[in-house]
Amino acid sequence: MKQGLIVDDSAVIRRVTGRILELLGFVSTELDDGAKALDHCQAAMPNAILLDWNIPNVDTIELLRKLRRVPGADQCKILFVITENDPMLIGRALRAGADDILLKPYDHHAVQEKLEDLGLIARQAQAS
């Protein structure tokens, strides 16, 4: 089963996103802290990370760079979760190693579409 990691300071966002990942066939881990996320990935790199850009007391761009240096990170897809469509932030995140951006607020469909685009889940047939 695929592993997903949600890193966000909001317990509600972690819970909702964890449920979405579970419905999409992932086992999810939810963390609120960048250091814990780095430790978790060093122990067992997940298939996907949803990393919120605004975690207190953390430079998330630097965290993203550190995550990309962990062995096995080349097999992990990282969605950098942002609250506004800021081209400068998006560019920095992509240069630091994010595979794609997920804009808040998001729903099941948005997460599913991103995971499909990244090849982590099979594309679902469209209802006509």
Side-chain angles (χ1 to χ4, degrees), residues 3-16:
Q3 302 290 317
L5 174 62
I6 302 134
V7 186
D8 197 298
D9 60 321
S10 167
V12 172
I13 296 291
R14 288 193 311 271
R15 228 173 310 164
V16 169

Side-chain angles (χ1 to χ4, degrees), residues 7-96:
V7 186
D8 197 298
D9 60 321
S10 167
V12 172
I13 296 291
R14 288 193 311 271
R15 228 173 310 164
V16 169
T17 306
R19 182 69 182 130
I20 291 170
L21 287 182
E22 288 168 5
L23 290 170
L24 293 171
F26 285 75
V27 173
S28 68
T29 301
E30 303 165 16
L31 297 173
D32 64 352
D33 177 271
K36 290 177 191 173
L38 188 57
D39 289 345
H40 177 83
C41 291
Q42 289 171 332
M45 183 59 71
N47 301 95
I49 301 172
L50 283 77
L51 175 63
D52 185 47
W53 79 278
N54 192 18
I55 301 171
N57 305 315
V58 174
D59 178 340
T60 51
I61 295 293
E62 184 56 32
L63 174 59
L64 183 52
R65 288 185 185 110
K66 287 178 181 178
L67 288 168
R68 280 295 179 208
R69 290 192 294 265
V70 174
D74 56 329
Q75 301 300 310
C76 176
K77 301 295 184 184
I78 300 177
L79 284 172
F80 200 68
V81 182
I82 60 175
T83 55
E84 57 188 66
N85 196 358
D86 178 346
M88 296 290 286
L89 179 59
I90 292 169
R92 288 182 63 214
L94 293 172
R95 285 189 302 278

Side-chain angles (χ1 to χ4, degrees), residues 106-120:
Y106 52 83
D107 60 10
H108 179 101
H109 177 75
V111 174
Q112 178 180 331
E113 189 173 81
K114 291 292 184 179
L115 296 178
E116 289 171 350
D117 290 347
L118 293 172
L120 286 170

